[in-house]
């Protein structure tokens, strides 16, 4: 698409902090048992999710979709919850392809309504789910660009609540991750989020928006550093001060999100350093490490015991990366089998998909090719139902197979966009 233009480049459950289990007491682990910060193994099984859909999900989905145009806001909200529940737990990309545009239009209409904050938040979550479920098609560019433009407007709407702006940013980041043309589009959007959303959110102490801005920038940076690590370095140098401000924000989640972005960039740039050269260091690394050390030892009086545990665990992992080059090693357990996340790129992406899919993550890992491509994991197609497939092969992201799968994914997206252009030319 040539030089990326800003207009073209551009909810629900929370992701929690990610960290290992180093030096955490038994009491702290018990207190934080539901957080990814409590252990290096994350047990998430579809059977344990009480919102899992049944075999009659198609009937439930039809009723929920019909409710989206009801005159009563409460009915529309119930419909959006139902749609999101089904989309989270059932991969619909191969089932509802013919209704993809109708669904997206309904979500955008709901997100534009201003009388119900809840309806807008639910609609934005559903929009993020839409991109995870349907990805890009022959009309992918048009769907992505029109939706992204709307989400940008909403993310910067001073009249919208912090929750709504955060939801718009979450959907915007996922849409770009799934449907953006390449890493340059991700870079343009990351810079836009910093310039137009992040600084203002920190100034206003809109912590929901600030937290999501850091998380969206982090997700986009995983794309940028994969494509051009030096461009990622340039982007982060421009955002360095904002991230330092984030480390001293009033919210634990904001501080953790900012800290993890430092680890992501440090890890990416450390991989570019020659073996004989000194380890990579930020220009203001001493200042950064000093702030992180302060956060690691901060009293629990500021944010309570639970928040203090999460902050210490997350900051400990970030410091381990910046000072020693170590990365947390997490495992996602799917029906007794494990997928390993051993780089900040993989961990940040996992957090983004977990925020969108919540308890439906195992179902999408089993059936949705997008997640299998993103995380370079193969599943056994001969198993009894993809939603209950078990991880068969965990692929090292630096392996030749992983590189081949990533290349194939890029080619498929390129071919889909080209088919869309050819159809337009024929018309």
């Amino acid at each position: 698409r040539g030089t990326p233009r800003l207009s073209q480049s551009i909810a629900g459950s929370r992701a929690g902090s990610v960290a290992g289990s180093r030096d955490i007491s038994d009491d702290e682990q018990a207190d934080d048992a539901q957080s990814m910060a409590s252990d290096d193994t994350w047990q998430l099984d579809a059977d344990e999710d009480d919102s899992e859909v049944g075999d009659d999900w198609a009937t439930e989905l039809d009723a929920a979709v019909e409710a989206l145009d009801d005159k009563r806001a409460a009915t529309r909200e119930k419909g959006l919850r139902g749609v999101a529940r089904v989309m989270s737990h059932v991969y619909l990309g191969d089932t509802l392809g013919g209704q993809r545009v109708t669904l997206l239009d309904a979500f955008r209409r709901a997100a534009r309504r201003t009388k119900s904050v809840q309806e807008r938040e639910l609609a934005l979550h559903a929009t993020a789910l839409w991109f995870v479920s349907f990805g890009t098609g022959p009309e992918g560019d048009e769907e992505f660009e029109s939706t992204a433009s709307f989400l940008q407007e909403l993310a910067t709407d001073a009249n919208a609540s912090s929750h709504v702006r955060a939801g718009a940013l979450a959907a915007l980041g996922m849409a770009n991750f799934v449907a953006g043309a390449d890493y340059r589009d991700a870079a343009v959007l990351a810079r836009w989020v910093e310039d137009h959303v992040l600084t203002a959110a920190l100034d206003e102490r809109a912590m929901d928006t600030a937290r999501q801005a850091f998380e969206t920038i982090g997700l986009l940076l995983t794309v940028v550093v994969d494509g051009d690590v030096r461009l990622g370095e340039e982007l982060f140098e421009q955002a360095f001060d904002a991230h330092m401000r984030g480390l001293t924000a009033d919210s634990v989640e904001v501080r953790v999100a900012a800290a993890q972005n430092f680890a992501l960039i440090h890890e990416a740039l450390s991989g570019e350093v020659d073996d004989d050269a000194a380890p990579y260091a930020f220009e203001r690394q001493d200042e950064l490490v000093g702030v992180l050390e302060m956060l690691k030892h901060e009293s629990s009086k500021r944010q309570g015991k639970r928040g203090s545990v999460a902050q210490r665990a997350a900051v400990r992992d970030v410091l381990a990366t910046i000072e020693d080059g170590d990365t947390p090693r997490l495992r996602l357990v799917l029906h007794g089998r494990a997928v390993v996340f051993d780089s900040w790129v993989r961990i940040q992406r996992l957090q983004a998909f977990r925020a969108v899919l919540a308890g439906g993550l195992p179902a999408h890992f089993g059936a949705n090719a997008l997640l299998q491509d993103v995380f370079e994991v193969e599943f056994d197609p001969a198993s009894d139902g993809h939603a209950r497939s078990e991880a068969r092969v965990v692929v090292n992201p630096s392996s030749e197979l992983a590189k081949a799968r990533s290349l194939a994914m890029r080619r498929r997206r390129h071919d889909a966009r080209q088919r869309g252009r050819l159809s337009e030319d024929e018309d």
Side-chain angles (χ1 to χ4, degrees):
R1 295 189 337 199
T3 302
R5 300 191 298 275
L6 186 62
S7 62
Q8 292 182 333
S9 304
I10 308 300
S13 96
R14 290 288 310 113
S17 60
V18 177
S21 57
R22 291 188 285 277
D23 303 325
I24 300 178
S25 70
D26 292 339
D27 289 341
E28 287 171 339
Q29 288 191 27
D31 184 63
D32 202 35
Q34 300 303 314
S35 170
M36 290 179 68
S38 66
D39 192 56
D40 65 352
T41 299
W42 175 26
Q43 178 79 39
L44 179 61
D45 193 299
D47 294 335
E48 300 172 359
D49 179 33
D50 58 10
S51 63
E52 184 182 7
V53 298
D55 294 335
D56 61 344
W57 61 264
T59 301
E60 178 182 346
L61 181 63
D62 286 343
V65 170
E66 186 176 348
L68 297 183
D69 289 323
D70 194 271
K71 293 182 180 180
R72 292 167 294 182
T75 302
R76 295 195 302 269
E77 291 170 11
K78 183 179 179 180
L80 286 166
R81 288 190 187 93
V83 171
R85 199 166 79 93
V86 174
M87 290 182 72
S88 295
H89 291 81
V90 180
Y91 172 57
L92 300 176
D94 297 330
T95 306
L96 295 181
Q99 300 180 43
R100 63 199 308 274
V101 175
T102 301
L103 280 173
L104 185 59
D105 287 344
F107 299 156
R108 285 191 294 219
R109 285 197 303 274
R112 289 183 186 279
R113 296 188 175 105
T114 58
K115 291 185 178 180
S116 169
V117 172
Q118 184 69 27
E119 181 178 5
R120 303 184 90 181
E121 291 179 17
L122 291 166
L124 292 166
H125 180 212
T127 301
L129 278 167
W130 187 95
F131 280 95
V132 173
S133 298
F134 296 109
T136 56
E139 297 82 28
D141 282 357
E142 180 180 347
E143 293 163 353
F144 165 60
E145 289 166 10
S146 61
T147 304
S149 178
F150 160 66
L151 292 172
Q152 280 182 281
E153 294 175 6
L154 193 51
T156 53
D157 184 355
N159 295 319
S161 71
S162 181
H163 288 297
V164 168
R165 283 179 283 164
L169 279 177
L172 183 59
M174 184 56 70
N176 186 286
F177 182 82
V178 173
D182 58 25
Y183 67 90
R184 288 167 292 190
D185 274 3
V188 170
L189 179 54
R191 181 62 187 273
W192 181 89
V193 172
E194 184 208 348
D195 289 345
H196 295 273
V197 181
L198 178 56
T199 301
L202 291 171
D203 289 343
E204 299 166 9
R205 296 188 177 182
M207 293 295 101
D208 287 315
T209 305
R211 180 265 309 158
Q212 187 57 61
F214 281 122
E215 291 183 1
T216 296
I217 289 173
L219 177 62
L220 296 169
L221 284 174
T222 70
V223 179
V224 177
V225 297
D226 269 357
D228 184 345
V229 70
R230 292 305 166 194
L231 178 57
E233 179 181 25
E234 177 185 339
L235 278 172
F236 199 76
E237 286 177 351
Q238 296 166 346
F240 192 96
D241 287 339
H243 278 74
M244 290 295 291
R245 287 186 64 189
L247 293 179
T248 59
D250 294 334
S251 163
V252 170
E253 287 189 330
V254 171
R255 296 196 290 270
V256 168
Q260 290 181 349
N261 286 353
F262 280 108
L264 169 70
I265 290 297
H266 193 279
E267 179 183 69
L269 294 173
S270 296
E272 297 295 305
V273 176
D274 295 335
D275 292 338
D276 296 333
Y280 176 80
F282 291 111
E283 185 174 340
R284 294 159 56 189
Q285 180 136 326
D286 289 344
E287 177 187 356
L288 170 61
V289 169
V291 174
L292 292 171
E293 287 286 353
M294 178 191 69
L295 293 176
K296 188 175 73 169
H297 299 290
E298 188 175 42
S299 169
S300 61
K301 293 181 180 180
R302 181 181 180 187
Q303 65 272 326
K305 181 180 178 182
R306 190 176 184 84
S308 179
V309 170
Q311 178 173 293
R312 286 201 302 270
V315 170
R316 189 162 32 242
D317 279 342
V318 171
L319 279 169
T321 297
I322 292 175
E323 294 185 309
D324 304 320
D326 295 334
T327 301
R329 186 177 185 273
L330 307 180
R331 295 187 302 156
L332 171 63
V333 180
L334 296 170
H335 308 287
R337 300 295 180 88
V339 180
V340 177
F341 302 86
D342 53 2
S343 72
W344 282 105
V345 166
R346 289 170 67 82
I347 290 170
Q348 296 260 43
R349 290 174 177 178
L350 171 63
Q351 291 186 125
F353 279 100
R354 184 192 177 201
V356 174
L357 294 168
L361 193 64
H364 277 262
F365 258 106
N368 190 338
L370 170 65
L371 271 73
Q372 295 174 16
D373 282 333
V374 168
F375 296 106
E376 300 97 14
V377 177
E378 292 185 0
F379 284 77
D380 185 0
S383 64
D384 183 17
H386 277 212
R388 299 193 177 277
S389 295
E390 295 181 349
R392 180 167 60 86
V393 178
V394 179
V395 182
N396 188 315
S398 62
S399 69
E400 291 303 316
L401 176 58
K403 295 175 183 177
R405 287 173 64 83
S406 296
L407 179 60
M409 178 175 64
R410 288 195 295 271
R411 285 175 176 169
R412 287 198 298 274
R413 291 177 178 175
H414 173 76
D415 290 344
R417 287 191 290 271
Q418 289 298 109
R419 287 195 297 272
R421 292 192 184 99
L422 289 174
S423 298
E424 292 175 0
D425 292 343
E426 290 171 358
D427 292 341

